[in-house]
Amino acid sequence: MAPRYVRVAVDGERGFIVDADVISGNDEPGATPQLINQIKEDYGQMAKQVLADALFSSGSLLKWLDDRGIEAYIPVDANVSVKDNPAIRDDLTQPVAVEDWPKLPRNPQTKKIDRSAFIYDESKDCYYCPMGKMIKYSKTVYGSNPVVESRRYECGHCIRCSLSSECLIGNSCFRTVTRDQYQELRDKALARMKTEEGKRNYGKRMWLNEGAFGLIKSWIGLRQFLCRGLDKVRTEWLWACTAFNLKKLAKVVLSIRLQVQLSLK
Ligand code: SF4
């Protein structure tokens, strides 16, 4: 049986649930355009921003959002700490200082220096590695399902490099960096997330989206579904989300009444 997951979309102002569903399958990013279009149909306006976790950082979704002018606040490199990345430096042709090598971001899977330590120079269409070496374009490789066109850049300076044991992956004698057609959008999303506005906006996600799930558990006590079957589970979930909105609405009305009472005193 295909996995199922519940989802909610929450408005960024007051935290009301504006769309909810139970989805069959495991392509949450792929189901997101339909969710956003549904919200547009229901409320007559397109979302301006989308805050979502790293699961939604697929290139095709970032493109879909970008094509519609929707700002994506989605962490694209959630598994790699790029905080204070010493590879981001003024002169890319100079090596990262030896004392900063331990701070170079590592890939959690390979344990090697992460691709985020390789900085792209758009004007020259090349990368610079942490040793300040230019990594030139070598060839384009194609993948299918989804269709991906990746430009591959290969370093020609790895032999005798002092960082090679921390940089080269597997038995390879040279380091490669690939750049698919979505990389520019990932870089854009990453840069957006690093701004003060990006941090503030993404910070809201915790209390908006995760808060809704948490409150449904604590307010309504829904920790597991009583029903079985997609349609029945969907109905149960929609009832829970409706109850959540009503409870929230009651709180808003109460707060307005209190404000009015205070203003009349
Ligand atoms: S191994 Fe190659 S790519 Fe890695 S830092 Fe050294 S020269 Fe640069």
Side-chain angles (χ1 to χ4, degrees), residues 118 129-131 155 157-158 161 163-164 167-168 175:
F118 294 76
C129 79
M131 288 303 264
C155 182
H157 309 274
C158 300
C161 169
L163 263 177
S164 61
C167 185
L168 300 184
R175 178 70 190 247

Side-chain angles (χ1 to χ4, degrees), residues 101 104 113 118 128-135 154-168 173-177:
W101 288 3
L104 286 166
I113 293 172
F118 294 76
Y128 284 94
C129 79
M131 288 303 264
K133 304 293 184 193
M134 181 189 273
I135 305 186
E154 288 177 1
C155 182
H157 309 274
C158 300
I159 297 169
R160 288 193 292 276
C161 169
S162 316
L163 263 177
S164 61
S165 62
E166 298 175 57
C167 185
L168 300 184
C173 305
F174 54 88
R175 178 70 190 247
T176 60
V177 184

Side-chain angles (χ1 to χ4, degrees), residues 159-193:
I159 297 169
R160 288 193 292 276
C161 169
S162 316
L163 263 177
S164 61
S165 62
E166 298 175 57
C167 185
L168 300 184
I169 299 165
N171 295 325
S172 179
C173 305
F174 54 88
R175 178 70 190 247
T176 60
V177 184
T178 53
R179 183 176 183 85
D180 68 22
Q181 72 265 42
Y182 303 121
Q183 192 58 45
E184 206 175 313
L185 293 170
R186 287 192 202 96
D187 293 345
K188 211 164 133 183
L190 196 59
R192 189 182 294 127
M193 291 290 283

